[in-house]
Amino acid sequence: MWTTTKGAYAGSDNDMYIAIKSFIAYVAHFVKGGIQSSNLSAEARQGCRLLLPGQNIDYKPEDSDDSICIDIGLVASKHDAAIELCVKPSYYRFYSIFKVKK
């Protein structure tokens, strides 16, 4: 359960991270389907990218010189890539980084 009757967050941080990552992957499925069913030329489709979440949550990439942990990171992938979570992506591969707070 996400909220109590008073509206306060009742789950753990990890539950929240997993729910957000699942939602992003869910939306990526629809975006991928929209790209494939569109009337875009093959050349135009090559420029399309999907933003997919990394597999790990609340971690520090090995190649980072920063002490901050990443809650959720998004990686850009080709439009025809499999919708799967990237296993421990390198810091430089992240398109976007989220720090999630209650």
Side-chain angles (χ1 to χ4, degrees):
M1 176 174 278
W2 280 96
T3 59
T4 65
T5 55
K6 294 183 180 182
Y9 178 70
S12 71
D13 287 350
N14 283 348
D15 291 339
M16 187 170 53
Y17 302 153
I18 291 167
I20 292 169
K21 286 176 26 170
S22 297
F23 177 73
I24 293 168
Y26 178 77
V27 170
H29 278 284
F30 285 97
V31 171
K32 182 177 181 174
I35 293 169
Q36 292 173 343
S37 66
S38 70
N39 59 0
L40 291 173
S41 68
E43 184 179 338
R45 286 185 188 170
Q46 291 305 314
C48 295
R49 297 285 182 264
L50 296 174
L51 292 178
L52 302 173
Q55 182 178 18
N56 298 66
I57 54 176
D58 197 24
Y59 82 106
K60 181 181 174 296
E62 293 176 7
D63 60 342
S64 169
D65 60 356
D66 199 357
S67 63
I68 298 173
C69 287
I70 295 171
D71 292 340
I72 300 171
L74 298 181
V75 177
S77 298
K78 292 184 177 182
H79 75 283
D80 55 356
I83 305 289
E84 57 188 29
L85 304 179
C86 301
V87 180
K88 291 190 176 183
S90 299
Y91 198 73
Y92 72 91
R93 286 205 54 218
F94 284 116
Y95 181 84
S96 179
I97 295 172
F98 292 84
K99 191 69 180 165
V100 182
K101 299 288 183 194
K102 290 184 192 179

